[in-house]
Amino acid sequence: MSSPLFFGLVCTLGIRISGWLGYGAIAVGFCALLGSMGVGFVPMDQLRPHLLAALIFFWGWLATAFLFTLGFWRRFSFRAAPSFILAGIATMLSSVGFLTVLTRAMTGALGQAFLKPDSFRRPLIWDLAILEWCVVASFIAWVLTAQVYLHRTERSAGTPARNS
């Protein structure tokens, strides 16, 4: 349930970009936050609302990574924030891969699970779950990269770092 803490980071980064890209990134970041919180509150036993919350998170997160990557690339150039931009690209690739496999799965056996949820059995090793965790790992890497970027630029601007 650390998603509310993520929103402060999103707001700080969005303000750095400014303009419609920054505000759009804040808005979709907020949607991703709501989806993430929804996944935490709605158990898998309630498959439809859980999946809806998960889709809000994954699509919102893809849009968030896209807008921030585009915004930072346009505003600061690749040389100013290479690791942050590369983390955004990696996040987008993992998100697109996951959402592509999920969409294909929804037209097959997973889609049938909605009709008969008790008959669905998860495979022992499931590519969808592996890709989902890749998105989560890319999210963590993106957040850490963003924090390092903000810390570095704050210190180089002469602003004293706050002790936490």
Side-chain angles (χ1 to χ4, degrees), residues 32 54-67 69 86-104 127-128 130-140 142:
L55 287 175
I56 290 170
F57 167 73
F58 286 113
W59 282 106
W61 176 234
L62 173 60
T64 301
F66 173 75
L67 290 177
T69 303
L86 289 173
I89 292 169
T91 294
M92 289 186 291
L93 290 173
S94 67
S95 295
V96 166
F98 168 72
L99 289 167
T100 300
V101 171
L102 176 65
T103 301
R104 292 183 70 201
D127 59 346
L128 193 57
I130 292 168
L131 290 171
E132 180 180 10
W133 281 103
C134 287
V135 173
V136 171
S138 75
F139 171 82
I140 293 167
W142 185 90

Side-chain angles (χ1 to χ4, degrees), residues 119-154:
S119 66
F120 180 72
R121 300 289 176 247
R122 289 181 60 167
L124 185 59
I125 298 176
W126 198 13
D127 59 346
L128 193 57
I130 292 168
L131 290 171
E132 180 180 10
W133 281 103
C134 287
V135 173
V136 171
S138 75
F139 171 82
I140 293 167
W142 185 90
V143 167
L144 292 174
T145 305
Q147 289 174 331
V148 167
Y149 169 78
L150 288 174
H151 181 71
R152 187 188 59 184
T153 57
E154 181 179 283

